[in-house]
Amino acid sequence: MKIKKWYFKNNYEEYKVLYEDNNYILVQNIKDKRYSFGLVNDFGSFYGFPVNQSCLNKKDCIKILKDFIKIDRKYNDINKTTKIYNKMICCLNV
């Protein structure tokens, strides 16, 4: 399993990578077992993931991903992310 570290002010947190492609990533914090997801470029950056996509329990993470799928379908999945969000949900249900 792939492990990533996020550094912040000489400290770091370790994350298990549950899903990753060229654009999106889903991680679980090893210490507190919380889930976060978003754009790969945002992981470990100064800004990080949006608040509603960070430090979630499993149930809330799945709910938000399903809500994103509903929004995407409403707009004909113009960003082509419905499949990605479904893959993330599958990774959480393992």
Side-chain angles (χ1 to χ4, degrees):
M1 178 162 294
K2 194 173 183 182
I3 304 290
K4 289 197 176 212
K5 294 181 181 182
W6 183 63
Y7 290 91
F8 183 74
K9 293 186 179 178
N10 298 326
N11 293 322
Y12 68 90
E13 294 183 10
E14 292 185 323
Y15 294 86
K16 286 192 281 186
V17 177
L18 304 176
Y19 174 85
E20 184 175 17
D21 62 23
N22 291 331
N23 297 312
Y24 294 90
I25 189 169
L26 168 68
V27 296
Q28 182 182 31
N29 185 294
I30 291 175
K31 186 175 181 181
D32 67 15
K33 305 298 184 204
R34 297 288 184 154
Y35 300 92
S36 300
F37 68 95
L39 294 172
V40 171
N41 293 339
D42 291 341
F43 182 77
S45 72
F46 177 73
Y47 296 106
F49 295 134
V51 173
N52 67 332
Q53 295 170 221
S54 300
C55 302
L56 305 166
N57 64 38
K58 185 176 180 178
K59 180 181 172 187
D60 289 338
C61 190
I62 291 171
K63 181 191 179 312
I64 290 171
L65 287 165
K66 286 182 177 180
D67 289 345
F68 282 9
I69 290 169
K70 286 179 191 175
I71 293 167
D72 283 353
R73 286 187 178 145
K74 182 177 178 182
Y75 295 99
N76 296 317
D77 196 17
I78 59 171
N79 293 324
K80 306 296 183 213
T81 53
T82 301
K83 288 182 183 179
I84 294 166
Y85 296 145
N86 276 317
K87 288 178 184 179
M88 289 182 182
I89 291 170
C90 288
C91 291
L92 289 165
N93 286 325
V94 171

